[in-house]
Amino acid sequence: MNNPPVICIGEMLFDRLSNELGQPLEQVKLWTDYPGGAPANTACGLVKLGIPTAFIGCIGEDAPGEQLVELLREIGVNITGVQRHSNAPTRIVYVVRDAAGDRSFAGFGDLDTTEFADTYLQAELLPEALFKTAKFLVLGTLELAYPESQQAILKAIQLAKKYQVKVFIDINWRPMFWQNPDSAIDLILKLVQNADFLKLTNEEAELLFNTIEPEAIAQLLQIQGVFVTAGEQGCAYYLAGNSGRLPAFSVSVADTTGAGDGFTAGILDQFCKLGLDAINDAIIAEDMVRFASAVGALTTTKPGAIAAEPTLTEVEIFLNNSKS
């Protein structure tokens, strides 16, 4: 675990999920807390698939924070880059669900988005040693919303360039994390100039690039790979000149939380195990995306994100059964 090939940087938090379908926030009385945060989800997903991974983020020195750090330890994520904040609390996100179970973010309770520990990630405390041996740095865009964590993200990208670490950006657009969402787009577009690989949803692709075609986005940014996911409608991809579209796997959905992060973990698992040269082969590239899609699909079959993420054996069995 001293030399994990993947570093995930960003937020780790609790999703406080409503147990009462169709009820508005004010009327929900029963909630269940699930560990989450896209970069943390991806880090845990990778370790479950067998890829040593480090998580870098700032978590509160409170009871929820202790639970999250303990969970990372239990799963086996490298936590040498985890920072703790003595005053700012660990973030809790309220999530309500409609009658069909589809979720929507409903705020942060009584606190402002700027008050949580993850906004205080310190650039000068990033462990440079992790970057010396890493192959991939995974990040989202939420940390750009806060001055200190934004500097930490920019420092991480500097270190990635210094040590020739590939940068994988998952947009993860969440307007409610931003005090001024209108300012976000320019910051995000600047950040993606540093990407080697980009993952985004149909909606995010339209918002940022006015197209949902991965090849068009890849050519615009001059990058190796783009994945555009569309939930139950599947995924389109561009990898080193190979492009395609795969339908989603048909599964019984319990909770869509973390499905995209599962996909990210799946594709990085394939990059690590097969090597990046493999993306030049059209058939292998398609198989990589199919594997990632299977990880994402399986993540939806249980509540929560991290608890639902599959092991390598579960993914292999699922893929074998899907062929028959």
Side-chain angles (χ1 to χ4, degrees), residues 214-296:
E215 186 167 359
I217 297 168
Q219 287 175 348
L220 182 71
L221 297 174
Q222 295 294 296
I223 61 176
Q224 285 181 280
V226 175
F227 309 91
V228 179
T229 59
E232 61 191 21
Q233 293 166 3
C235 166
Y237 67 91
Y238 173 89
L239 274 174
N242 301 304
S243 56
R245 191 175 298 273
L246 292 177
F249 288 98
S250 179
V251 293
S252 178
V253 175
D255 176 17
T256 58
T257 309
D261 310 322
F263 179 96
T264 300
I267 203 72
L268 284 157
D269 167 272
Q270 296 292 283
F271 287 175
C272 289
K273 287 174 181 165
L274 300 177
L276 275 185
D277 285 346
I279 67 176
N280 295 302
D281 183 299
I283 294 171
I284 296 175
E286 182 177 307
D287 284 343
M288 286 175 155
V289 180
R290 185 174 290 107
F291 180 92
S293 297
V295 178

Side-chain angles (χ1 to χ4, degrees), residues 37-316:
N41 293 343
T42 297
C44 293
L46 275 159
V47 172
K48 285 187 170 189
L49 293 169
I51 302 296
T53 302
F55 173 72
I56 296 174
C58 188
I59 297 171
E61 282 185 353
D62 49 13
E66 287 301 320
Q67 283 182 264
L68 293 178
V69 173
E70 187 53 38
L71 176 64
L72 292 173
R73 276 201 198 97
E74 283 174 15
I75 289 172
V77 175
N78 180 308
I79 57 170
T80 55
V82 171
Q83 303 173 22
R84 306 295 298 273
H85 197 285
S86 56
N87 300 320
T90 300
R91 190 183 294 270
I92 294 174
V93 184
Y94 286 80
V95 184
V96 295
R97 296 191 284 176
D98 64 18
D102 289 328
R103 62 201 188 104
S104 56
F105 295 105
F108 305 105
D110 298 329
L111 297 175
D112 185 80
T113 186
T114 60
E115 295 181 63
F116 295 98
D118 55 82
T119 70
Y120 293 101
L121 184 64
Q122 300 297 300
E124 66 273 14
L125 297 179
L126 299 185
E128 188 166 341
L130 285 176
F131 290 82
K132 290 180 180 177
T133 52
K135 292 184 172 68
F136 298 96
L137 171 68
V138 184
L139 59 143
T141 62
L142 298 185
E143 274 61 48
L144 297 179
Y146 317 102
E148 288 180 72
S149 56
Q150 181 184 125
Q151 290 308 305
I153 291 296
L154 298 178
K155 175 72 180 296
I157 286 174
Q158 281 180 358
L159 290 170
K161 288 184 174 173
K162 180 177 177 181
Y163 294 109
Q164 298 179 320
V165 179
K166 297 287 187 182
V167 176
F168 189 110
I169 297 178
D170 179 355
I171 297 296
N172 199 29
W173 171 239
R174 302 280 183 265
M176 73 173 193
F177 278 75
W178 295 77
Q179 282 193 300
N180 179 8
D182 293 337
S183 70
I185 303 303
D186 283 346
L187 284 170
I188 291 170
L189 286 171
K190 277 185 190 157
L191 182 76
V192 298
Q193 300 298 322
N194 299 289
D196 295 288
F197 297 92
L198 184 65
K199 177 188 158 288
L200 62 179
T201 63
N202 271 0
E203 295 81 8
E204 291 163 349
E206 285 280 9
L207 177 70
L208 295 172
F209 303 107
N210 297 313
T211 177
I212 60 170
E213 291 305 320
E215 186 167 359
I217 297 168
Q219 287 175 348
L220 182 71
L221 297 174
Q222 295 294 296
I223 61 176
Q224 285 181 280
V226 175
F227 309 91
V228 179
T229 59
E232 61 191 21
Q233 293 166 3
C235 166
Y237 67 91
Y238 173 89
L239 274 174
N242 301 304
S243 56
R245 191 175 298 273
L246 292 177
F249 288 98
S250 179
V251 293
S252 178
V253 175
D255 176 17
T256 58
T257 309
D261 310 322
F263 179 96
T264 300
I267 203 72
L268 284 157
D269 167 272
Q270 296 292 283
F271 287 175
C272 289
K273 287 174 181 165
L274 300 177
L276 275 185
D277 285 346
I279 67 176
N280 295 302
D281 183 299
I283 294 171
I284 296 175
E286 182 177 307
D287 284 343
M288 286 175 155
V289 180
R290 185 174 290 107
F291 180 92
S293 297
V295 178
L298 284 169
T299 304
T300 71
T301 60
K302 299 175 194 169
I306 292 171
E309 290 169 331
T311 63
L312 179 60
T313 303
E314 287 170 331
V315 180
E316 288 172 342

